Amino acid sequence: MQRPTEPKLSPARDCFPAGPENTPGASRWPSDPVAWLSGLDRTAKVGAKHHIIPRFLLKRWADDASRVQVYSRADGKFTSRAVGDVAVRDFYTFIAVDQTSDSTYEELLAKIEKQAAEVITWVLNPLRRHCSALTPEQRCELDLFVAFQLVRGP
């Protein structure tokens, strides 16, 4: 008996192809990358603290009081800081062509991080069957998260 082969997903556009196997609402990401930006609130995160390292990752290394050790390159010292304080106000906010503050990038990162957090939580769940593989959609969400991690920092 032959095993069914997994579909090969290469370019980002093919991560979530439209078709009968993908019923409406089956994928959390549109097949058109431009559509990722539709529905994002340009001003929702203006004035907010933006985490360079996603909050859900920081929480994994936090102590019981939700604090992490932070190293200061300026003075070479470690300090304990709350996860919510390990952020920079308006780090991903930019001035748009129309001269308004725009936090679309932070909104997009939040959307990507939410999906990746669900996949990572699923992978790390001790009750999960270890032989179960990531679905193509989970793999794409994780790949997208890793790609954005590579380009998001200072």
Side-chain angles (χ1 to χ4, degrees):
M1 175 187 263
Q2 281 187 325
R3 291 181 58 191
T5 58
E6 287 287 323
K8 290 191 169 113
L9 303 173
S10 49
R13 281 185 79 82
D14 294 336
C15 250
F16 308 109
E21 69 281 358
N22 288 345
T23 56
S27 174
R28 291 178 275 202
W29 295 101
S31 59
D32 180 8
V34 174
W36 291 358
L37 300 176
S38 66
L40 297 179
D41 186 345
R42 293 180 54 201
T43 60
K45 306 275 188 194
V46 171
K49 289 184 178 180
H50 301 168
H51 288 82
I52 297 168
I53 299 173
R55 181 183 286 237
F56 83 91
L57 289 179
L58 289 171
K59 287 180 180 180
R60 293 199 166 275
W61 282 276
D63 61 18
D64 292 338
S66 294
R67 299 181 74 77
V68 291
Q69 293 293 311
V70 177
Y71 177 76
S72 170
R73 289 187 283 176
D75 61 12
K77 296 181 181 176
F78 284 93
T79 57
S80 177
R81 294 178 54 192
V83 169
D85 292 336
V86 185
V88 180
R89 187 168 311 282
D90 283 330
F91 187 77
Y92 297 114
T93 299
F94 59 93
I95 305 300
V97 176
D98 63 1
Q99 300 301 308
T100 60
S101 295
D102 190 319
S103 63
T104 302
Y105 189 58
E106 174 66 12
E107 281 283 291
L108 179 61
L109 288 173
K111 193 173 184 180
I112 291 168
E113 290 167 13
K114 180 180 184 294
Q115 304 308 326
E118 291 175 11
V119 174
I120 291 169
T121 299
W122 177 80
V123 167
L124 296 176
N125 183 346
L127 302 177
R128 176 182 73 88
R129 291 183 52 196
H130 292 287
C131 61
S132 57
L134 294 173
T135 65
E137 183 177 269
Q138 288 172 318
R139 175 64 191 262
C140 284
E141 289 169 353
L142 205 51
D143 289 348
L144 186 63
F145 172 72
V146 170
F148 270 84
Q149 284 300 106
L150 291 171
V151 297
R152 75 180 286 168

